[in-house]
Amino acid sequence: MQMNRGYHTFNKVIACVLSYIFIITAVAVPAHAEEKQVEATPSRIPLSELEKTIDAYVASYEKYTAAVSVVAIKDGETIMNKAYGYADIENQRKADTSTVFEWASISKLLVYTSVMQLVEQGKLDLETDIQEYLPEGFFKNLKYDEPITLMNLMHHNAGWEDQTVTEVYYYEENKNYDLGETLRENEPKQIYKPNSVVGYSNYSIGLAGYIVELVSGQPYYEYVNQHIFEPLHMNDTTVHPTGQDRPDLVQRRNEVKGYTKDLKRIPKNRVYVTFYPTGAAMGTAKDLGKFLAALMPVDDSHVLFAKRDTLDEMLSTSLYYDETSIPRFAHGFVEMEYWAPTLLHEGNLKGFSSKVVFDPESKFGMVVMTNIAFEEIYYYGLISKIFGNSTYVNSVTSEGGYFQSARRPAARFTDLFRQLDITKFSKAELSSLYNVVEHNGVVEKISYTPYMDYLPVSNLKVNLIVISFIPVALAILFSLIVLIGYLIRMLLYKRNKRGNPLNHFDKYHLAINVAGAILPLNLLIIHTRLPSYPAHSSLRINLLFNLLYVVLAVAYLGLLIYKLRKSSYSKKQKVMYIMSGISAFILAAFIVGWHLYV
């Protein structure tokens, strides 16, 4: 019995050991085999199928495509570099891998990298007040005493108002360019406390580029050439304000035409960026892929920095969404949760849309560049296909409300048009945003995009804005009625010699109403031209007309008071003159209140 029990026990032990070995072998081998097969995108597309998948995607959207260039990087190597469509549809010039695209705001990544290089060398500190690096008295419009740091510039939360599109772009290629002087001349007002609100700021990044100039002792574009482009052998890229250091690239860039989303050609799609470090880079997608590969080295090699720790720091989270542990920025790089945590940056310029997205953990990334303005099929659709969908869910108790972008020109003529963009979000819509800051059922801030916050607007303010347009509309309508009345009066007088001809003051009365009738047409022209990135000089006559109207209104009111005291008019005439004065005052106040002359 004892031997049998021992024998059976021994058999059980042997059986267990053999079973264990079998299980380990059965599991380990497939796991190892599967590990080799896992070479896939974050959305689980095998890398061996990547090009085929993208080919099919592009083919399905061919009729919406001008040119698109796609580069994929894996483990430091380019695994795909392909161009589709036409750089010039009208002349049937096909895009290829040598096609030069605008980087637009992806250029900002060069600024962040340059700053971190100088931080590594001990020449810059991310938490030091930037005024220590700038000439004395550089700023004139700071409202708050809190220091502004390089980190604030990277996070777009230094508190500045946004510039108008007319201040961000220009068209004169041979313009004498000085980055520091340009930043001084175009200093925006500070409307928020630093660190309080994220509002995408081209001025901030231009300023960071200028600090790189001052500390390095080189023009910004020369610094980037020497410390980024040359080490990475990016021979087909420039960040010169007008590209004049690479005329060959400019020629290739000018062969590419820009289009709207419905493939209508955009005339004069070559624009120059006022704060050029923020968006002046242009080059091939392949070159941008080289920069991307340098951000995901496979070993301890780190071309951009002397120490790997600096690269790791640059790509680590430096700002979270308010009151959460959700990453927002990694030293200027946007953090986004697709099916894997990724870093990215987007770029839009007149006729161009570009995007770079990468997962540092798997060392997989993509570059997408197109010659379509505000493109979405590849900019968002293809990226989602390769990286998976990005989803956010918030627990919200508020029923929703009105919100306005923190990125707004508070003291510029475009503030009027931004005010008209106030958006209403329902409770369900709030739940799907990146982040919602809510206390006691009241939403204090939402993050509709990583690049900017949206602030609540009370129902009272919305109603006041709407109501404020009623007297303006009535004033314009009154001017039109007066003009029609004068026209009828003059026709009757000429045909039948009936009625009275114009008296001396009628001429002033007619002039102010003509100007009042033209004013809405002038505002409409300004509004319709803004999406085409007009130069400020091209709108100067429109803005001067608005200012002239204010001068005319003041002159008319002064003359009206004088004439009513000195001259005798009929009761009907006095009513018309006074009503015109009231209308002129309303329209002048509207122009001044919305800064429609600057």
Short mmCIF file of all heavy atoms in Angstrom, two decimals, residues 493-546:
data_model
loop_
_atom_site.label_atom_id
_atom_site.label_comp_id
_atom_site.label_asym_id
_atom_site.label_seq_id
_atom_site.Cartn_x
_atom_site.Cartn_y
_atom_site.Cartn_z
N TYR A 493 -38.40 116.00 -59.04
CA TYR A 493 -38.04 117.40 -59.27
C TYR A 493 -37.60 117.62 -60.72
O TYR A 493 -37.96 118.62 -61.36
CB TYR A 493 -36.93 117.81 -58.31
CG TYR A 493 -36.50 119.24 -58.47
CD1 TYR A 493 -37.28 120.28 -57.94
CD2 TYR A 493 -35.33 119.57 -59.17
CE1 TYR A 493 -36.90 121.61 -58.12
CE2 TYR A 493 -34.95 120.89 -59.34
CZ TYR A 493 -35.74 121.92 -58.81
OH TYR A 493 -35.38 123.23 -58.98
N LYS A 494 -36.82 116.64 -61.25
CA LYS A 494 -36.33 116.79 -62.61
C LYS A 494 -37.42 116.59 -63.65
O LYS A 494 -37.44 117.23 -64.70
CB LYS A 494 -35.19 115.81 -62.86
CG LYS A 494 -33.89 116.21 -62.18
CD LYS A 494 -32.74 115.30 -62.59
CE LYS A 494 -31.43 115.80 -61.98
NZ LYS A 494 -30.27 114.99 -62.41
N ARG A 495 -38.37 115.68 -63.37
CA ARG A 495 -39.43 115.38 -64.35
C ARG A 495 -40.53 116.43 -64.32
O ARG A 495 -40.98 116.91 -65.35
CB ARG A 495 -40.05 114.01 -64.09
CG ARG A 495 -39.22 112.86 -64.64
CD ARG A 495 -39.98 111.56 -64.49
NE ARG A 495 -41.14 111.51 -65.36
CZ ARG A 495 -41.98 110.49 -65.41
NH1 ARG A 495 -41.81 109.44 -64.62
NH2 ARG A 495 -42.99 110.50 -66.26
N ASN A 496 -40.97 116.74 -63.15
CA ASN A 496 -42.17 117.58 -63.03
C ASN A 496 -41.91 118.91 -62.35
O ASN A 496 -42.86 119.69 -62.15
CB ASN A 496 -43.25 116.83 -62.25
CG ASN A 496 -43.52 115.46 -62.83
OD1 ASN A 496 -43.60 115.31 -64.05
ND2 ASN A 496 -43.69 114.47 -61.95
N LYS A 497 -40.67 119.15 -62.01
CA LYS A 497 -40.34 120.36 -61.26
C LYS A 497 -41.16 120.47 -59.99
O LYS A 497 -41.51 121.55 -59.52
CB LYS A 497 -40.58 121.62 -62.12
CG LYS A 497 -39.74 121.68 -63.38
CD LYS A 497 -38.24 121.74 -63.06
CE LYS A 497 -37.42 121.85 -64.33
NZ LYS A 497 -35.97 121.87 -64.03
N ARG A 498 -41.49 119.28 -59.45
CA ARG A 498 -42.24 119.23 -58.18
C ARG A 498 -41.28 118.91 -57.07
O ARG A 498 -40.27 118.24 -57.24
CB ARG A 498 -43.33 118.18 -58.25
CG ARG A 498 -44.43 118.50 -59.27
CD ARG A 498 -45.39 117.35 -59.40
NE ARG A 498 -45.91 116.90 -58.10
CZ ARG A 498 -46.60 115.78 -57.91
NH1 ARG A 498 -46.81 114.97 -58.94
NH2 ARG A 498 -47.05 115.47 -56.72
N GLY A 499 -41.62 119.34 -55.89
CA GLY A 499 -40.76 119.10 -54.74
C GLY A 499 -39.68 120.15 -54.66
O GLY A 499 -39.59 121.05 -55.50
N ASN A 500 -38.87 120.07 -53.64
CA ASN A 500 -37.83 121.06 -53.41
C ASN A 500 -36.46 120.49 -53.74
O ASN A 500 -36.17 119.32 -53.46
CB ASN A 500 -37.83 121.50 -51.93
CG ASN A 500 -39.15 122.14 -51.54
OD1 ASN A 500 -39.70 122.93 -52.32
ND2 ASN A 500 -39.66 121.80 -50.36
N PRO A 501 -35.59 121.28 -54.34
CA PRO A 501 -34.23 120.81 -54.57
C PRO A 501 -33.48 120.71 -53.25
O PRO A 501 -33.95 121.17 -52.21
CB PRO A 501 -33.64 121.92 -55.45
CG PRO A 501 -34.41 123.14 -55.08
CD PRO A 501 -35.80 122.66 -54.78
N LEU A 502 -32.29 120.11 -53.31
CA LEU A 502 -31.51 119.93 -52.09
C LEU A 502 -31.05 121.27 -51.55
O LEU A 502 -30.57 122.13 -52.29
CB LEU A 502 -30.29 119.05 -52.37
CG LEU A 502 -30.54 117.62 -52.83
CD1 LEU A 502 -29.21 116.90 -53.03
CD2 LEU A 502 -31.40 116.86 -51.83
N ASN A 503 -31.22 121.45 -50.21
CA ASN A 503 -30.64 122.64 -49.59
C ASN A 503 -29.19 122.34 -49.20
O ASN A 503 -28.69 121.24 -49.41
CB ASN A 503 -31.47 123.09 -48.38
CG ASN A 503 -31.51 122.03 -47.28
OD1 ASN A 503 -30.48 121.43 -46.94
ND2 ASN A 503 -32.69 121.80 -46.72
N HIS A 504 -28.53 123.34 -48.62
CA HIS A 504 -27.09 123.20 -48.30
C HIS A 504 -26.84 122.04 -47.35
O HIS A 504 -25.92 121.23 -47.58
CB HIS A 504 -26.58 124.51 -47.71
CG HIS A 504 -25.10 124.49 -47.43
ND1 HIS A 504 -24.16 124.45 -48.43
CD2 HIS A 504 -24.43 124.46 -46.25
CE1 HIS A 504 -22.95 124.42 -47.90
NE2 HIS A 504 -23.09 124.43 -46.57
N PHE A 505 -27.63 121.91 -46.29
CA PHE A 505 -27.38 120.86 -45.29
C PHE A 505 -27.78 119.48 -45.83
O PHE A 505 -27.27 118.47 -45.36
CB PHE A 505 -28.16 121.16 -44.01
CG PHE A 505 -27.77 120.25 -42.87
CD1 PHE A 505 -26.55 120.35 -42.24
CD2 PHE A 505 -28.65 119.25 -42.45
CE1 PHE A 505 -26.19 119.51 -41.20
CE2 PHE A 505 -28.31 118.40 -41.40
CZ PHE A 505 -27.07 118.54 -40.78
N ASP A 506 -28.69 119.46 -46.79
CA ASP A 506 -29.09 118.17 -47.38
C ASP A 506 -27.90 117.42 -47.96
O ASP A 506 -27.88 116.19 -47.99
CB ASP A 506 -30.14 118.39 -48.47
CG ASP A 506 -31.55 118.52 -47.90
OD1 ASP A 506 -31.74 118.10 -46.74
OD2 ASP A 506 -32.42 119.04 -48.60
N LYS A 507 -26.91 118.16 -48.42
CA LYS A 507 -25.74 117.51 -49.00
C LYS A 507 -24.99 116.70 -47.94
O LYS A 507 -24.52 115.59 -48.20
CB LYS A 507 -24.82 118.56 -49.63
CG LYS A 507 -25.47 119.29 -50.81
CD LYS A 507 -24.58 120.39 -51.32
CE LYS A 507 -25.28 121.16 -52.46
NZ LYS A 507 -24.44 122.28 -52.97
N TYR A 508 -24.86 117.27 -46.74
CA TYR A 508 -24.21 116.55 -45.65
C TYR A 508 -25.08 115.37 -45.19
O TYR A 508 -24.58 114.29 -44.88
CB TYR A 508 -23.93 117.49 -44.47
CG TYR A 508 -23.07 118.67 -44.84
CD1 TYR A 508 -23.61 119.95 -44.92
CD2 TYR A 508 -21.71 118.49 -45.13
CE1 TYR A 508 -22.82 121.04 -45.25
CE2 TYR A 508 -20.92 119.58 -45.47
CZ TYR A 508 -21.47 120.85 -45.53
OH TYR A 508 -20.70 121.92 -45.89
N HIS A 509 -26.36 115.64 -45.17
CA HIS A 509 -27.33 114.61 -44.76
C HIS A 509 -27.27 113.43 -45.73
O HIS A 509 -27.27 112.26 -45.33
CB HIS A 509 -28.73 115.22 -44.74
CG HIS A 509 -29.78 114.28 -44.25
ND1 HIS A 509 -30.95 114.04 -44.95
CD2 HIS A 509 -29.84 113.48 -43.15
CE1 HIS A 509 -31.68 113.17 -44.29
NE2 HIS A 509 -31.03 112.81 -43.19
N LEU A 510 -27.18 113.73 -47.02
CA LEU A 510 -27.11 112.69 -48.03
C LEU A 510 -25.78 111.92 -47.92
O LEU A 510 -25.75 110.69 -48.01
CB LEU A 510 -27.25 113.31 -49.42
CG LEU A 510 -27.17 112.35 -50.62
CD1 LEU A 510 -28.28 111.31 -50.54
CD2 LEU A 510 -27.25 113.13 -51.92
N ALA A 511 -24.70 112.64 -47.69
CA ALA A 511 -23.37 112.03 -47.63
C ALA A 511 -23.28 111.01 -46.49
O ALA A 511 -22.76 109.90 -46.67
CB ALA A 511 -22.30 113.10 -47.47
N ILE A 512 -23.78 111.35 -45.31
CA ILE A 512 -23.67 110.45 -44.17
C ILE A 512 -24.52 109.20 -44.38
O ILE A 512 -24.17 108.10 -43.94
CB ILE A 512 -24.05 111.16 -42.84
CG1 ILE A 512 -23.59 110.33 -41.63
CG2 ILE A 512 -25.55 111.42 -42.75
CD1 ILE A 512 -22.11 110.20 -41.51
N ASN A 513 -25.63 109.35 -45.08
CA ASN A 513 -26.48 108.18 -45.34
C ASN A 513 -25.92 107.29 -46.44
O ASN A 513 -26.09 106.08 -46.42
CB ASN A 513 -27.90 108.63 -45.66
CG ASN A 513 -28.66 109.05 -44.41
OD1 ASN A 513 -29.03 108.20 -43.59
ND2 ASN A 513 -28.87 110.35 -44.24
N VAL A 514 -25.26 107.91 -47.42
CA VAL A 514 -24.57 107.10 -48.44
C VAL A 514 -23.49 106.27 -47.78
O VAL A 514 -23.34 105.06 -48.05
CB VAL A 514 -23.97 108.01 -49.53
CG1 VAL A 514 -23.01 107.21 -50.42
CG2 VAL A 514 -25.06 108.63 -50.37
N ALA A 515 -22.72 106.90 -46.89
CA ALA A 515 -21.66 106.17 -46.19
C ALA A 515 -22.25 105.06 -45.32
O ALA A 515 -21.69 103.96 -45.23
CB ALA A 515 -20.85 107.14 -45.33
N GLY A 516 -23.39 105.35 -44.69
CA GLY A 516 -24.04 104.34 -43.84
C GLY A 516 -24.54 103.15 -44.64
O GLY A 516 -24.53 102.01 -44.17
N ALA A 517 -24.97 103.40 -45.88
CA ALA A 517 -25.45 102.31 -46.73
C ALA A 517 -24.29 101.48 -47.27
O ALA A 517 -24.42 100.26 -47.48
CB ALA A 517 -26.27 102.88 -47.88
N ILE A 518 -23.14 102.13 -47.49
CA ILE A 518 -21.96 101.41 -47.99
C ILE A 518 -21.30 100.58 -46.89
O ILE A 518 -20.69 99.53 -47.18
CB ILE A 518 -20.95 102.41 -48.59
CG1 ILE A 518 -21.54 103.09 -49.82
CG2 ILE A 518 -19.63 101.73 -48.95
CD1 ILE A 518 -20.65 104.18 -50.40
N LEU A 519 -21.42 101.00 -45.65
CA LEU A 519 -20.73 100.35 -44.54
C LEU A 519 -20.96 98.83 -44.47
O LEU A 519 -19.99 98.07 -44.35
CB LEU A 519 -21.14 101.00 -43.21
CG LEU A 519 -20.46 100.43 -41.95
CD1 LEU A 519 -18.96 100.64 -42.00
CD2 LEU A 519 -21.06 101.07 -40.70
N PRO A 520 -22.20 98.33 -44.53
CA PRO A 520 -22.38 96.87 -44.45
C PRO A 520 -21.72 96.13 -45.62
O PRO A 520 -21.22 95.02 -45.46
CB PRO A 520 -23.90 96.69 -44.46
CG PRO A 520 -24.44 97.95 -45.06
CD PRO A 520 -23.49 99.02 -44.61
N LEU A 521 -21.72 96.76 -46.80
CA LEU A 521 -21.06 96.15 -47.95
C LEU A 521 -19.56 96.06 -47.70
O LEU A 521 -18.92 95.05 -47.99
CB LEU A 521 -21.35 96.97 -49.21
CG LEU A 521 -20.67 96.48 -50.49
CD1 LEU A 521 -21.13 95.07 -50.84
CD2 LEU A 521 -20.95 97.45 -51.65
N ASN A 522 -19.00 97.10 -47.10
CA ASN A 522 -17.58 97.11 -46.79
C ASN A 522 -17.23 96.03 -45.77
O ASN A 522 -16.23 95.32 -45.91
CB ASN A 522 -17.19 98.49 -46.24
CG ASN A 522 -15.69 98.64 -46.06
OD1 ASN A 522 -14.92 98.40 -46.98
ND2 ASN A 522 -15.28 99.03 -44.87
N LEU A 523 -18.06 95.85 -44.75
CA LEU A 523 -17.83 94.81 -43.74
C LEU A 523 -17.96 93.42 -44.36
O LEU A 523 -17.21 92.50 -43.99
CB LEU A 523 -18.83 94.97 -42.59
CG LEU A 523 -18.68 96.24 -41.74
CD1 LEU A 523 -19.76 96.29 -40.67
CD2 LEU A 523 -17.30 96.30 -41.10
N LEU A 524 -18.90 93.28 -45.28
CA LEU A 524 -19.07 91.99 -45.96
C LEU A 524 -17.83 91.65 -46.77
O LEU A 524 -17.36 90.48 -46.79
CB LEU A 524 -20.30 92.03 -46.86
CG LEU A 524 -20.60 90.73 -47.63
CD1 LEU A 524 -20.89 89.59 -46.66
CD2 LEU A 524 -21.78 90.95 -48.58
N ILE A 525 -17.26 92.63 -47.43
CA ILE A 525 -16.04 92.41 -48.22
C ILE A 525 -14.90 91.95 -47.31
O ILE A 525 -14.17 91.01 -47.62
CB ILE A 525 -15.64 93.70 -48.97
CG1 ILE A 525 -16.67 94.00 -50.06
CG2 ILE A 525 -14.25 93.56 -49.57
CD1 ILE A 525 -16.47 95.34 -50.73
N ILE A 526 -14.74 92.61 -46.17
CA ILE A 526 -13.70 92.23 -45.21
C ILE A 526 -13.90 90.79 -44.76
O ILE A 526 -12.96 89.98 -44.75
CB ILE A 526 -13.70 93.17 -43.99
CG1 ILE A 526 -13.28 94.58 -44.41
CG2 ILE A 526 -12.78 92.65 -42.90
CD1 ILE A 526 -13.40 95.61 -43.29
N HIS A 527 -15.13 90.46 -44.40
CA HIS A 527 -15.42 89.12 -43.87
C HIS A 527 -15.17 88.04 -44.91
O HIS A 527 -14.59 86.98 -44.60
CB HIS A 527 -16.87 89.08 -43.39
CG HIS A 527 -17.25 87.77 -42.78
ND1 HIS A 527 -18.09 86.88 -43.40
CD2 HIS A 527 -16.90 87.19 -41.61
CE1 HIS A 527 -18.25 85.82 -42.64
NE2 HIS A 527 -17.54 85.97 -41.55
N THR A 528 -15.58 88.27 -46.13
CA THR A 528 -15.43 87.24 -47.17
C THR A 528 -13.97 87.08 -47.60
O THR A 528 -13.59 86.03 -48.12
CB THR A 528 -16.29 87.57 -48.40
OG1 THR A 528 -15.97 88.90 -48.85
CG2 THR A 528 -17.76 87.50 -48.05
N ARG A 529 -13.15 88.09 -47.37
CA ARG A 529 -11.75 88.00 -47.78
C ARG A 529 -10.86 87.35 -46.73
O ARG A 529 -9.76 86.88 -47.05
CB ARG A 529 -11.22 89.41 -48.11
CG ARG A 529 -11.82 90.00 -49.39
CD ARG A 529 -10.98 91.17 -49.86
NE ARG A 529 -9.61 90.76 -50.14
CZ ARG A 529 -8.58 91.60 -50.20
NH1 ARG A 529 -8.78 92.90 -50.00
NH2 ARG A 529 -7.36 91.17 -50.45
N LEU A 530 -11.28 87.32 -45.49
CA LEU A 530 -10.43 86.81 -44.42
C LEU A 530 -9.98 85.36 -44.63
O LEU A 530 -8.81 85.03 -44.36
CB LEU A 530 -11.14 86.94 -43.06
CG LEU A 530 -11.26 88.37 -42.52
CD1 LEU A 530 -12.02 88.37 -41.20
CD2 LEU A 530 -9.89 89.00 -42.35
N PRO A 531 -10.83 84.45 -45.10
CA PRO A 531 -10.37 83.06 -45.29
C PRO A 531 -9.27 82.90 -46.33
O PRO A 531 -8.61 81.87 -46.36
CB PRO A 531 -11.66 82.33 -45.73
CG PRO A 531 -12.78 83.16 -45.24
CD PRO A 531 -12.29 84.57 -45.34
N SER A 532 -9.05 83.92 -47.16
CA SER A 532 -8.02 83.80 -48.21
C SER A 532 -6.68 84.39 -47.77
O SER A 532 -5.81 84.63 -48.61
CB SER A 532 -8.50 84.49 -49.49
OG SER A 532 -8.67 85.88 -49.28
N TYR A 533 -6.50 84.60 -46.45
CA TYR A 533 -5.24 85.10 -45.90
C TYR A 533 -4.81 86.40 -46.56
O TYR A 533 -3.71 86.50 -47.10
CB TYR A 533 -4.12 84.06 -46.06
CG TYR A 533 -4.38 82.73 -45.41
CD1 TYR A 533 -5.03 81.72 -46.10
CD2 TYR A 533 -3.96 82.48 -44.11
CE1 TYR A 533 -5.27 80.48 -45.51
CE2 TYR A 533 -4.19 81.24 -43.49
CZ TYR A 533 -4.84 80.26 -44.21
OH TYR A 533 -5.08 79.04 -43.62
N PRO A 534 -5.62 87.44 -46.51
CA PRO A 534 -5.23 88.69 -47.18
C PRO A 534 -4.10 89.40 -46.43
O PRO A 534 -3.98 89.28 -45.21
CB PRO A 534 -6.51 89.52 -47.13
CG PRO A 534 -7.20 89.04 -45.88
CD PRO A 534 -6.91 87.58 -45.82
N ALA A 535 -3.27 90.12 -47.15
CA ALA A 535 -2.27 90.97 -46.51
C ALA A 535 -2.99 92.15 -45.87
O ALA A 535 -4.01 92.62 -46.38
CB ALA A 535 -1.27 91.46 -47.54
N HIS A 536 -2.44 92.64 -44.74
CA HIS A 536 -3.08 93.76 -44.06
C HIS A 536 -3.18 94.97 -44.99
O HIS A 536 -4.17 95.70 -44.96
CB HIS A 536 -2.30 94.11 -42.79
CG HIS A 536 -3.03 95.04 -41.88
ND1 HIS A 536 -3.00 96.41 -42.05
CD2 HIS A 536 -3.81 94.81 -40.81
CE1 HIS A 536 -3.74 96.98 -41.11
NE2 HIS A 536 -4.25 96.04 -40.34
N SER A 537 -2.16 95.16 -45.81
CA SER A 537 -2.16 96.30 -46.73
C SER A 537 -3.32 96.25 -47.71
O SER A 537 -3.84 97.28 -48.14
CB SER A 537 -0.83 96.37 -47.50
OG SER A 537 -0.63 95.17 -48.22
N SER A 538 -3.75 95.02 -48.07
CA SER A 538 -4.84 94.89 -49.03
C SER A 538 -6.20 95.22 -48.42
O SER A 538 -7.16 95.46 -49.14
CB SER A 538 -4.87 93.47 -49.60
OG SER A 538 -5.27 92.53 -48.61
N LEU A 539 -6.28 95.22 -47.09
CA LEU A 539 -7.53 95.57 -46.41
C LEU A 539 -7.49 96.98 -45.84
O LEU A 539 -8.46 97.44 -45.23
CB LEU A 539 -7.81 94.58 -45.27
CG LEU A 539 -8.21 93.16 -45.67
CD1 LEU A 539 -8.40 92.30 -44.42
CD2 LEU A 539 -9.48 93.16 -46.50
N ARG A 540 -6.36 97.66 -46.03
CA ARG A 540 -6.19 98.98 -45.41
C ARG A 540 -7.27 99.95 -45.87
O ARG A 540 -7.80 100.72 -45.07
CB ARG A 540 -4.80 99.51 -45.73
CG ARG A 540 -4.43 100.76 -44.91
CD ARG A 540 -2.96 101.10 -45.12
NE ARG A 540 -2.12 100.06 -44.53
CZ ARG A 540 -1.02 99.59 -45.10
NH1 ARG A 540 -0.66 100.04 -46.29
NH2 ARG A 540 -0.29 98.66 -44.50
N ILE A 541 -7.60 99.91 -47.15
CA ILE A 541 -8.61 100.84 -47.66
C ILE A 541 -9.97 100.57 -47.02
O ILE A 541 -10.74 101.50 -46.75
CB ILE A 541 -8.69 100.78 -49.21
CG1 ILE A 541 -9.60 101.90 -49.72
CG2 ILE A 541 -9.20 99.42 -49.68
CD1 ILE A 541 -9.55 102.06 -51.23
N ASN A 542 -10.28 99.29 -46.76
CA ASN A 542 -11.55 98.95 -46.11
C ASN A 542 -11.58 99.45 -44.67
O ASN A 542 -12.61 99.98 -44.20
CB ASN A 542 -11.76 97.44 -46.13
CG ASN A 542 -11.74 96.87 -47.52
OD1 ASN A 542 -10.69 96.53 -48.05
ND2 ASN A 542 -12.90 96.77 -48.16
N LEU A 543 -10.47 99.28 -43.97
CA LEU A 543 -10.40 99.71 -42.57
C LEU A 543 -10.39 101.24 -42.49
O LEU A 543 -10.99 101.82 -41.58
CB LEU A 543 -9.16 99.13 -41.89
CG LEU A 543 -9.11 97.59 -41.84
CD1 LEU A 543 -7.80 97.12 -41.22
CD2 LEU A 543 -10.29 97.03 -41.06
N LEU A 544 -9.72 101.87 -43.46
CA LEU A 544 -9.71 103.34 -43.48
C LEU A 544 -11.10 103.89 -43.76
O LEU A 544 -11.48 104.94 -43.22
CB LEU A 544 -8.73 103.84 -44.55
CG LEU A 544 -7.24 103.76 -44.18
CD1 LEU A 544 -6.38 104.17 -45.36
CD2 LEU A 544 -6.94 104.64 -42.97
N PHE A 545 -11.87 103.19 -44.59
CA PHE A 545 -13.25 103.63 -44.83
C PHE A 545 -14.04 103.62 -43.53
O PHE A 545 -14.81 104.55 -43.24
CB PHE A 545 -13.94 102.74 -45.86
CG PHE A 545 -15.40 103.07 -46.04
CD1 PHE A 545 -15.79 104.09 -46.88
CD2 PHE A 545 -16.39 102.37 -45.33
CE1 PHE A 545 -17.13 104.42 -47.03
CE2 PHE A 545 -17.72 102.70 -45.48
CZ PHE A 545 -18.10 103.72 -46.32
N ASN A 546 -13.87 102.56 -42.72
CA ASN A 546 -14.58 102.49 -41.44
C ASN A 546 -14.17 103.64 -40.52
O ASN A 546 -15.02 104.25 -39.85
CB ASN A 546 -14.29 101.15 -40.74
CG ASN A 546 -14.87 99.98 -41.50
OD1 ASN A 546 -15.76 100.13 -42.33
ND2 ASN A 546 -14.37 98.78 -41.22
#
